[in-house]
């Protein structure tokens, strides 16, 4: 299975870490997502597919610090993708 992470952003470059929590315990970083600032752009769409393993119990997102004072995120989605 795969996990699809998608979102729109504006006025910055959001960075996410996607962690997996496993049934036997422990966390593992599944993906580091760093989007790019698009100067003068309106809303920018970003999407990435992340491979999952059967022993995964949960997925967590962490939004990293970013240098801009304001950043806009919209329509953040996590969904199964085949």
């Amino acid at each position: 299975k795969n996990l699809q992470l998608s979102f729109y952003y504006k006025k910055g470059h959001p960075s996410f870490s996607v962690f997996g929590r496993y049934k036997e315990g422990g966390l593992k970083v599944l993906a580091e997502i760093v989007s790019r600032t698009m100067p003068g752009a309106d809303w920018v769409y970003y999407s990435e597919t992340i491979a999952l393993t059967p022993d995964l119990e949960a997925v967590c997102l962490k939004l990293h610090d970013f240098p801009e004072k304001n950043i806009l995120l919209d329509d953040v989605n996590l969904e199964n993708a085949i």
Side-chain angles (χ1 to χ4, degrees), residues 11-67:
K11 295 186 178 181
H13 54 280
S15 299
F16 287 93
S17 291
V18 181
F19 293 91
R21 187 176 74 205
Y22 291 87
K23 293 175 185 173
E24 69 277 357
L27 292 172
K28 179 182 174 187
V29 176
L30 301 176
E32 293 286 348
I33 297 167
V34 179
S35 55
R36 297 182 317 149
T37 300
M38 308 293 250
D42 199 18
W43 288 96
V44 178
Y45 178 73
Y46 184 92
S47 181
E48 182 163 328
T49 301
I50 302 159
L52 302 178
T53 59
D55 57 341
L56 192 66
E57 185 175 60
V59 174
C60 306
L61 288 179
K62 175 185 176 188
L63 177 61
H64 292 273
D65 295 333
F66 39 86

